[in-house]
Amino acid sequence: MKTKVTTQAEQQALTPDQVIEILKQGNEEFVKGKLTVRNNPELIRDAANGQFPMALILSCLDSRVPVEDVFHRYLGDLFVGRVAGNIVNVDFLGSMEFACAASGTKLIMVLGHGDCGAVKHAIKGTELGNVTEMLSKIQSAVKEIRANFDGEQNTNNTKFVDAVAIKNVILNVQKIREQSPILAEMEREGKIKIIGGYYCMETGRVDFFN
Ligand SMILES: [Zn+2]
């Protein structure tokens, strides 16, 4: 039974690659239903002493992607940022810099997923209140895939929707490096890694990529 949260010494001993391995293994356990029994009252008490998360995951809002469970992590293990379409903005960049530079986090992952409503509406060009401005941030991924994709380019084609969603993850990973000199420098020095992930709706499996 899990009763202790990650300590600062444990967090600091981890390399970015080791964190990736922990998340991969945790995802495998999630997929297979091998979840550890958690002692909530003890974990809550232990977590009250402070937090030393090993990774920050920028995920979509989608209710079918419960981030901590997807990686078989729990209290104190992950910073989780969520916004429709898992798009980076200045507030998330600040949060990421805070996590890595001030809190010792070793890994940033932009996590996209299959059957993403935000991606589908970006493809459709939906216009609605503030949604229009939000979806505009996914348009560069739509444009890049449209230019090179053979086959039906609409939301009925799962392969097309997946290609746009994966491109959107890749572009947002690049954006973090381009728009945060602090994080780019930390990555060059080997202190952190910035990667992408893609959650498969049918299997629960996450593909990891740079
Ligand atoms: Zn989504």
Side-chain angles (χ1 to χ4, degrees), residues 116-162:
C116 181
V119 166
K120 285 172 156 179
H121 281 288
I123 291 168
K124 286 179 187 164
T126 299
E127 294 193 3
L128 171 74
N130 290 295
V131 175
T132 310
E133 161 78 15
M134 183 187 80
L135 294 180
S136 71
K137 293 171 183 161
I138 305 175
Q139 285 308 331
S140 44
V142 177
K143 214 178 282 175
E144 279 199 37
I145 295 300
R146 277 205 198 283
N148 298 301
F149 190 87
D150 278 338
E152 233 184 299
Q153 298 194 359
N154 59 41
T155 54
N156 296 326
N157 186 352
T158 309
K159 282 192 177 138
F160 180 67
V161 176
D162 277 335

Side-chain angles (χ1 to χ4, degrees), residues 40-105:
N40 276 330
E42 284 200 33
L43 282 165
I44 293 164
R45 268 196 298 278
D46 199 35
N49 297 321
Q51 61 164 345
F52 305 99
M54 61 184 79
L56 182 154
I57 317 288
L58 174 59
S59 167
C60 181
L61 286 187
D62 199 293
S63 65
R64 300 165 293 175
V65 188
V67 179
E68 277 90 350
D69 278 341
V70 164
F71 296 108
H72 194 189
R73 298 289 100 206
Y74 202 41
L75 268 68
D77 289 333
L78 304 175
F79 283 117
V80 180
R82 305 195 71 152
V83 62
N86 40 270
I87 45 182
V88 171
N89 63 23
V90 69
D91 302 310
F92 279 123
L93 287 172
S95 303
M96 288 168 181
E97 289 173 358
F98 170 80
C100 295
S103 296
T105 295

